[in-house]
């Protein structure tokens, strides 16, 4: 695989049967606590994932005991069309406060009709980890890291 | 729903490849050493390693007559595989929440 392919953005999209304003609001306000909570950084399952509603705001998970773990930062908010987030988790899935090593998550809300919205998510900028060196080693070996992910994956694929 | 199914995800879907990947996480090893630890033939191990390599999860180097495999130090292929899955499941959950009855949460 070429390094260009390795660093290619991860893209996902989904169409939801709601107006664009609603889709945007549900996304940024985490309405119904929809964020997948099976993957988290803290030791316990978070009770909430929070996006602070301002540029420069925090993006973090909060555990039931109040402990907070940062995921990244809110860079740009353009209701109801677009959100740009900085993802501060490295290849070892640990928080790295250095913006120079953050990757970007852009979410676009495209109206397809009065009550249909296409949500396009692009996670990009992986070239900043081009010399990350060894971060995976700890993550793969950790019982709650890659080992867990691979067991989950196996279960999902053989279900 | 459309998503890029990443090579890394596909590569790790196979239990033998997952076992090889986990053993390489401990330290770099030769093909012979890897083959001794899994119940498949050496040519099959080489084939699995090629898949992992193409997915950007491992890399190899020649050491005399031996080929030594190790985790790709960047770990980017693995990270992308994880994120593919992460965002796919997150957006599915988002769709459920967005389309749910909205009386309760506004």
């Amino acid at each position: 695989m070429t390094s260009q392919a390795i660093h290619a953005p991860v893209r996902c999209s989904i169409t939801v049967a709601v107006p664009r304003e609603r889709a945007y609001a549900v996304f940024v306000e985490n309405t119904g606590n929809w964020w997948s909570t099976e993957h988290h950084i803290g030791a316990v399952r978070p009770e909430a994932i929070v996006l602070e509603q301002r540029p420069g705001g925090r993006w973090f998970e909060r555990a039931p005991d109040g402990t907070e773990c940062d995921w990244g930062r809110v860079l740009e908010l353009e209701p109801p069309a677009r959100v740009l987030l900085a993802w501060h988790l490295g290849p070892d899935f640990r928080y790295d406060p250095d913006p120079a090593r953050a990757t970007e998550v852009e979410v676009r809300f495209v109206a397809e009709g009065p009550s249909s919205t296409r949500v396009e998510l692009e996670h990009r900028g992986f070239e900043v980890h081009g010399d990350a060196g060894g971060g995976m080693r700890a993550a793969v070996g950790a019982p709650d890291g890659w080992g867990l992910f691979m067991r989950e994956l196996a279960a999902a694929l053989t279900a | 729903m459309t998503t890029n199914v990443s090579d890394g995800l596909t590569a790790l879907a196979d239990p033998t490849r997952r076992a090889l990947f986990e053993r390489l996480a401990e330290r770099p090893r030769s093909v012979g050493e890897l083959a001794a630890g899994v119940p498949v033939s050496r040519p099959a191990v080489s084939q699995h390693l090629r898949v992992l390599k193409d997915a950007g999860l491992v890399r190899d180097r020649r050491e005399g007559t031996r080929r030594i495999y190790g985790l790709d130090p960047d770990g980017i292929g693995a990270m992308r595989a994880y994120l593919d899955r992460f965002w796919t499941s997150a957006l599915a959950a988002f769709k459920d929440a967005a389309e749910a009855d909205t009386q309760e949460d506004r």
Side-chain angles (χ1 to χ4, degrees):
Chain A
M1 184 186 261
T2 65
S3 71
Q4 199 175 4
I6 289 252
H7 293 146
V10 169
R11 293 190 179 96
C12 297
S13 71
I14 197 163
T15 299
V16 294
V18 297
R20 184 161 77 149
E21 289 72 14
R22 164 83 184 154
Y24 178 93
V26 168
F27 194 96
V28 300
E29 294 166 16
N30 190 27
T31 305
N33 203 16
W34 60 267
W35 278 102
S36 168
T37 49
E38 65 180 292
H39 306 294
H40 47 88
I41 316 167
V44 294
R45 192 187 181 96
E47 67 171 7
I49 307 290
V50 181
L51 278 182
E52 291 184 342
Q53 302 292 299
R54 57 183 172 81
R58 294 170 61 217
W59 176 18
F60 62 95
E61 69 180 44
R62 188 171 51 233
D65 69 356
T67 310
E68 294 176 356
C69 281
D70 279 301
W71 285 27
R73 285 280 180 274
V74 178
L75 298 178
E76 296 172 24
L77 293 163
E78 290 176 35
R82 179 175 166 271
V83 182
L84 184 66
L85 306 168
W87 172 276
H88 279 259
L89 304 178
D92 58 353
F93 295 95
R94 282 177 174 56
Y95 180 76
D96 183 341
D98 184 354
R101 286 193 297 270
T103 50
E104 278 191 350
V105 179
E106 183 178 51
V107 189
R108 292 179 300 273
F109 301 85
V110 182
E112 291 192 323
S115 60
S116 177
T117 308
R118 191 171 71 254
V119 180
E120 298 172 344
L121 184 144
E122 181 176 277
H123 194 155
R124 63 184 179 230
F126 298 113
E127 55 278 5
V128 299
H129 296 305
D131 56 356
M136 281 298 300
R137 198 166 299 279
V140 173
D144 58 346
W146 271 91
L148 174 68
F149 164 59
M150 289 192 281
R151 283 191 296 279
E152 278 177 12
L153 183 65
L157 291 161
T158 55
Chain B
M1 154 142 219
T2 59
T3 176
N4 298 343
V5 175
S6 95
D7 294 339
L9 195 59
T10 311
L12 291 173
D14 179 272
T16 304
R17 285 199 288 272
R18 233 172 14 252
L20 293 170
F21 184 71
E22 286 181 359
R23 295 189 69 219
L24 289 174
E26 296 160 14
R27 61 180 173 82
R29 297 170 192 263
S30 68
V31 181
E33 197 183 349
L34 287 165
V38 289
V40 294
S41 69
R42 190 162 167 159
V45 167
S46 293
Q47 190 64 40
H48 283 308
L49 288 169
R50 188 167 308 122
V51 175
L52 290 170
K53 186 178 164 181
D54 288 347
L57 296 170
V58 305
R59 59 173 56 173
D60 61 338
R61 66 175 195 275
R62 195 166 276 295
E63 216 173 72
T65 58
R66 299 192 312 163
R67 191 170 286 283
I68 307 293
Y69 279 84
L71 280 200
D72 180 82
D74 297 351
I76 307 294
M79 181 170 159
R80 293 183 74 251
Y82 182 92
L83 291 170
D84 258 337
R85 182 169 175 270
F86 176 87
W87 288 123
T88 300
S89 66
L91 286 187
F94 161 76
K95 178 180 168 76
D96 290 345
E99 294 175 353
D101 184 59
T102 62
Q103 303 312 304
E104 302 292 321
D105 55 45
R106 303 321 303 265

